[in-house]
């Protein structure tokens, strides 16, 4: 069977180095849609027919305008009744399921097919039985313009991030069910979808994974402890099949590290202080959609407008990984500069130049200039969003909470501080108290054994559902003896005399420029160790046993000369809420944008990290930061991208089998 991966014409699109999301977009637009153009077609317009999954794949990769430019005039659902268009060609982008094949044959068979010609693209590998079924229909065969496997079954939500859309992965894989059929089915789908990433990128990875942590030979390994091993085996099986695809590499070209949420339970629940994370955490956004009110053009009541906060928004792109205080300062500067350069705005300002204007004053001023509305729309939107976030931070007392969370993680606070906080902050929301106790439980799981944990949760006035979330964290944690490991440890001691109980080490050579930005997700440490070939092989074995040459001199050029200067300890100099102007910590968007523009051809081999059970905004930020630091494109994959409320809801589900996700709220 022909596959789109073998098209010599399409491979020219990948001659230049492109980002992960650009490659995904190009495959949709060029390998699929453009390749369906025929010389003999009376009309250049085509119908695009998809199923529920492939609609989401296309939506994550490109915009409707991109599809229209490639000659698609109508998008249809394969399972809905459709109007016959016998003069038009159709492009089918569908999963290779029996139901989809039957629907396709129904459309194109008989004397009166729905479309003139069909170009069929399957999202992943199709079985030989279904191919035979298609070929057996003599009326359909002459009407097929293409029959190919796209091997494109993932969702690119970021320039360096994708998900497999397994929303129930945590429940299926880490719950307390004894029947693992759902878990096995989930892993099979996940493995197939992750493998299509490498087919699309034309990369063949070294497959590393978190090994099972059995205490000894006599201890039974649990199903949940074997999840990364099982997924690694599933992906490996898929990759070996891809080796028959022309142009697919026969030797390793990149690295894949498969992890699960047990390596870091803190990242999904701690308050992350970047603009991106705060938007998704505090503003009840649906995906990247933000709804806000705009003045009515007719002078009536304000109208609701839906906007997307994504990489097509230049202001968002610049500020998303910045600390919220940094983002607010920059927005004020941008608005001030706009007014200063705009004569009309200065006239509007008039004699009111006696004092410094607030960001809100500046926003109102430029909104009064209709001729500049298009330029200022984005800026004004982000001023509004940052204002909302800062108001929530003040009203909910999140600075004090955030400080305690980070002190717990770095071993500077313990039980006494948590109890004191709960007693003095009785008006704090139940959700924030829950998150504080979950951070505390991740650092000190032993404090939640027996009645100790119950008393703490009662002091916080948690509901039984909230208590479930805290107690269910034990289903994700490592066996107790292995917590002394140098990586992912919950009970790591750094100084015998101080008896410091911390879940993170202070980063040498990196000083936090912002208050509450000390925290870093554990994958940051793991990726750096992987890049330096320092991951312990017994803890992170490799499916394809890499040779010493790959994990030796091959990597040296991509990491040498990038060790930062040794900085002052964060202990001796406390970071502040206001950033020093010369700060370049690698996290700020200015730093990222400045370095990211460098030629991608200079990049080393890609590193893919896949987290089973949901990834976080902080982990995505770490991948962007390390791409600059290590000169290697770091791509984050996961079963889902979860903000704290979603993660906590899923944790509650682990022992709430009779409920559905819709029933539980936090």
């Amino acid at each position: 069977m022909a596959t789109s991966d073998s098209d010599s014409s399409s491979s020219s699109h990948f001659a230049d180095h492109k980002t992960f999301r650009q490659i995904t977009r190009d495959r949709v637009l060029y390998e699929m849609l453009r390749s369906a153009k025929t010389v003999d077609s009376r009309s250049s317009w085509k119908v695009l027919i998809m199923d529920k999954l492939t609609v989401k794949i296309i939506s994550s990769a490109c915009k409707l305008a991109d599809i229209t430019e490639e000659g698609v005039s109508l998008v249809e659902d394969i399972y809905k009744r459709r109007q016959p268009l016998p003069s038009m060609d159709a492009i089918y982008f569908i999963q290779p399921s029996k139901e989809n094949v039957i629907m396709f044959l129904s459309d194109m068979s008989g004397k009166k097919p729905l479309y003139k010609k069909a170009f069929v693209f399957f999202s992943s590998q199709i079985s030989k039985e279904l191919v035979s079924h298609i070929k057996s229909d003599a009326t359909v065969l002459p009407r097929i313009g293409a029959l190919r496997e796209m091997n494109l079954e993932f969702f690119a939500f970021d320039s360096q991030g994708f998900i497999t859309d397994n929303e129930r992965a945590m429940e299926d894989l880490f719950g307390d069910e004894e029947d693992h059929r759902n878990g096995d089915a989930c892993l099979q789908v996940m493995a197939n979808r992750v493998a299509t990433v490498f087919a699309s990128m034309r990369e063949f990875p070294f497959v590393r994974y978190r090994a099972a942590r059995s205490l000894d030979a006599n201890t039974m390994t649990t199903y949940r402890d074997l999840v990364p091993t099982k997924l690694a085996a599933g992906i490996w099986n898929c990759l070996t099949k891809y080796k028959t695809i022309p142009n697919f590499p026969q030797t390793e070209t990149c690295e894949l590290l498969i992890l699960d949420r047990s390596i870091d339970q803190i990242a999904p629940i701690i308050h992350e202080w970047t603009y991106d994370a705060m938007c998704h955490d505090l503003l009840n956004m649906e995906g990247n959609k933000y709804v806000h009110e705009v003045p009515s053009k007719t002078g009536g009541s304000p109208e609701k407008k839906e906007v997307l906060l994504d990489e097509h928004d230049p202001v968002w792109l610049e500020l998303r990984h910045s600390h919220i205080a940094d983002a607010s300062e920059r927005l004020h500067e941008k608005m001030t500069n706009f007014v200063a350069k705009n004569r009309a705005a200065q006239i509007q300002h008039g004699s009111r130049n006696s004092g410094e204007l607030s960001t809100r004053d500046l926003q109102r001023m430029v909104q009064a200039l209709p001729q500049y509305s298009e330029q200022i729309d984005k800026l004004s939107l982000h001023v509004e969003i940052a204002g909302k976030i800062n108001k929530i931070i003040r009203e909910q007392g999140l600075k004090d909470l955030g400080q305690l969370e980070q002190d717990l993680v770095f071993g500077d606070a313990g039980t006494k501080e948590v109890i004191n906080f709960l007693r003095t902050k009785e008006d704090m929301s139940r959700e924030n108290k829950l998150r504080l106790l979950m951070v505390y439980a991740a650092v000190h799981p032993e404090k939640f054994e027996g009645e100790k944990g119950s008393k703490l949760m009662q002091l916080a006035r948690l509901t039984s559902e909230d208590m479930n979330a805290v107690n269910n964290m034990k289903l994700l944690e490592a066996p107790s003896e292995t917590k002394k490991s140098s990586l992912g440890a919950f009970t790591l001691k750094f100084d015998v005399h101080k008896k410091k109980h911390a879940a993170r080490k202070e980063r040498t050579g990196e000083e936090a420029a912002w208050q509450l930005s000390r925290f870093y997700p554990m994958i940051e440490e793991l990726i750096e160790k992987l890049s330096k070939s320092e991951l312990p092989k017994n803890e992170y074995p490799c499916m394809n046993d890499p040779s010493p040459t790959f994990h030796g001199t091959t990597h040296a050029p991509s990491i040498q000369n990038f060790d930062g200067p040794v900085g002052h300890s964060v202990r001796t100099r406390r970071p502040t809420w206001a950033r020093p102007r010369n700060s370049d910590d690698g996290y700020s968007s200015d730093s990222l944008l400045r370095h990211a523009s460098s030629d991608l051809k200079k990049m080393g081999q890609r590193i893919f990290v896949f987290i089973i059970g949901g990834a976080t905004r902080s982990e995505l930020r770490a991948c962007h930061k390390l791409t600059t630091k290590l000169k290697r494109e770091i791509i984050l994959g996961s079963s889902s991208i979860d903000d704290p409320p979603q993660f906590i809801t899923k944790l509650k589900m682990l022992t709430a089998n009779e409920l559905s996700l819709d029933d539980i709220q936090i």
Side-chain angles (χ1 to χ4, degrees), residues 337-365:
N337 291 339
F338 184 88
V339 171
K341 292 174 184 175
N342 183 331
R343 288 184 182 178
Q346 288 173 351
I347 294 167
Q348 186 85 7
H349 186 194
S351 60
R352 286 180 293 171
N353 203 13
S354 53
E356 187 178 342
L357 291 168
S358 71
T359 307
R360 181 62 67 185
D361 292 333
L362 292 164
Q363 182 188 17
R364 290 196 189 101
M365 192 180 300

Side-chain angles (χ1 to χ4, degrees), residues 250-384:
Q250 299 301 300
T251 56
E252 292 85 351
T253 60
C254 64
E255 295 183 86
L256 165 64
L257 179 62
I258 299 170
L259 308 168
D260 61 6
R261 274 273 53 109
S262 72
I263 59 110
D264 189 352
Q265 292 189 58
I266 299 170
I269 47 180
I270 195 169
H271 282 87
E272 165 79 0
W273 290 83
T274 58
Y275 186 45
D276 178 9
M278 286 253 145
C279 284
H280 287 90
D281 189 358
L282 304 180
L283 298 182
N284 297 318
M285 289 173 59
E286 184 184 336
N288 288 333
K289 292 178 188 174
Y290 173 73
V291 179
H292 69 126
E293 290 188 344
V294 293
S296 171
K297 292 177 182 177
T298 58
S301 56
E303 300 170 354
K304 287 194 174 181
K305 185 179 179 182
E306 191 178 272
V307 291
L308 288 177
L309 302 183
D310 60 16
E311 290 162 342
H312 297 288
D313 177 345
V315 180
W316 172 258
L317 193 61
E318 180 188 340
L319 298 178
R320 61 179 179 165
H321 296 313
S322 301
H323 189 287
I324 180 61
D326 184 18
S328 301
E329 280 187 19
R330 291 195 203 189
L331 285 166
H332 183 86
E333 287 172 5
K334 286 177 184 292
M335 200 70 91
T336 304
N337 291 339
F338 184 88
V339 171
K341 292 174 184 175
N342 183 331
R343 288 184 182 178
Q346 288 173 351
I347 294 167
Q348 186 85 7
H349 186 194
S351 60
R352 286 180 293 171
N353 203 13
S354 53
E356 187 178 342
L357 291 168
S358 71
T359 307
R360 181 62 67 185
D361 292 333
L362 292 164
Q363 182 188 17
R364 290 196 189 101
M365 192 180 300
V366 294
Q367 282 177 337
L369 306 168
Q371 69 270 38
Y372 294 102
S373 62
E374 195 172 325
Q375 295 177 37
I376 208 66
D377 264 358
K378 290 289 184 192
L379 200 50
S380 187
L381 166 69
H382 289 286
V383 166
E384 176 189 314

Side-chain angles (χ1 to χ4, degrees), residues 155-220:
F155 309 85
F157 71 91
D158 183 85
S159 61
Q160 289 173 223
F162 72 92
I163 58 171
T164 55
D165 202 33
N166 298 104
E167 283 291 339
R168 291 190 173 273
M170 189 184 291
E171 183 184 352
D172 290 341
L173 299 172
F174 301 101
D176 54 2
E177 282 282 333
E178 291 184 11
D179 186 349
H180 301 304
R181 283 179 294 184
N182 286 345
D184 290 340
C186 174
L187 284 172
Q188 185 60 55
V189 170
M190 202 181 293
N192 288 339
R193 292 180 182 175
V194 172
T196 67
V197 171
F198 297 98
S200 284
M201 301 290 284
R202 295 198 179 111
E203 295 264 29
F204 180 44
F206 285 102
V207 182
R208 290 188 175 279
Y209 59 95
R210 177 191 68 71
R213 305 181 180 103
S214 297
L215 301 182
D216 54 59
N218 298 320
T219 305
M220 181 180 287

Side-chain angles (χ1 to χ4, degrees), residues 80-234:
K80 288 185 178 176
R81 186 186 294 272
R82 284 162 278 129
Q83 177 188 355
L85 297 166
S87 63
M88 291 180 73
D89 293 342
I91 300 170
Y92 285 79
F93 180 37
I94 52 178
Q95 295 176 83
S97 66
K98 185 179 179 181
E99 295 78 12
N100 281 349
V101 169
I102 289 170
M103 289 298 293
F104 158 67
L105 291 174
S106 172
D107 289 350
M108 298 303 296
S109 63
K111 293 181 179 179
K112 293 183 178 180
L114 290 186
Y115 312 106
K116 182 183 177 185
K117 214 172 191 69
F119 297 83
V120 186
F121 300 90
F122 292 109
S123 57
S124 57
Q125 290 186 317
I126 184 171
S127 68
K128 291 178 181 178
E129 292 77 17
L130 288 177
V131 174
S132 299
H133 188 40
I134 293 169
K135 288 182 176 179
S136 65
D137 194 322
T139 61
V140 172
L141 218 50
R143 296 166 183 161
I144 295 177
L147 191 65
R148 299 176 183 168
E149 293 166 338
M150 279 299 289
N151 291 315
L152 185 66
E153 207 165 274
F154 56 89
F155 309 85
F157 71 91
D158 183 85
S159 61
Q160 289 173 223
F162 72 92
I163 58 171
T164 55
D165 202 33
N166 298 104
E167 283 291 339
R168 291 190 173 273
M170 189 184 291
E171 183 184 352
D172 290 341
L173 299 172
F174 301 101
D176 54 2
E177 282 282 333
E178 291 184 11
D179 186 349
H180 301 304
R181 283 179 294 184
N182 286 345
D184 290 340
C186 174
L187 284 172
Q188 185 60 55
V189 170
M190 202 181 293
N192 288 339
R193 292 180 182 175
V194 172
T196 67
V197 171
F198 297 98
S200 284
M201 301 290 284
R202 295 198 179 111
E203 295 264 29
F204 180 44
F206 285 102
V207 182
R208 290 188 175 279
Y209 59 95
R210 177 191 68 71
R213 305 181 180 103
S214 297
L215 301 182
D216 54 59
N218 298 320
T219 305
M220 181 180 287
T221 305
T222 62
Y223 180 87
R224 62 179 72 96
D225 198 25
L226 283 168
V227 164
T229 309
K230 286 175 175 284
L231 182 63

Side-chain angles (χ1 to χ4, degrees), residues 616-632:
T616 70
R617 307 280 164 188
S618 62
E619 286 161 341
L620 180 63
R621 168 176 59 86
C623 290
H624 279 276
K625 175 195 171 185
L626 290 175
T627 293
T628 300
K629 182 178 179 180
L630 303 177
K631 298 296 180 188
R632 300 177 69 177

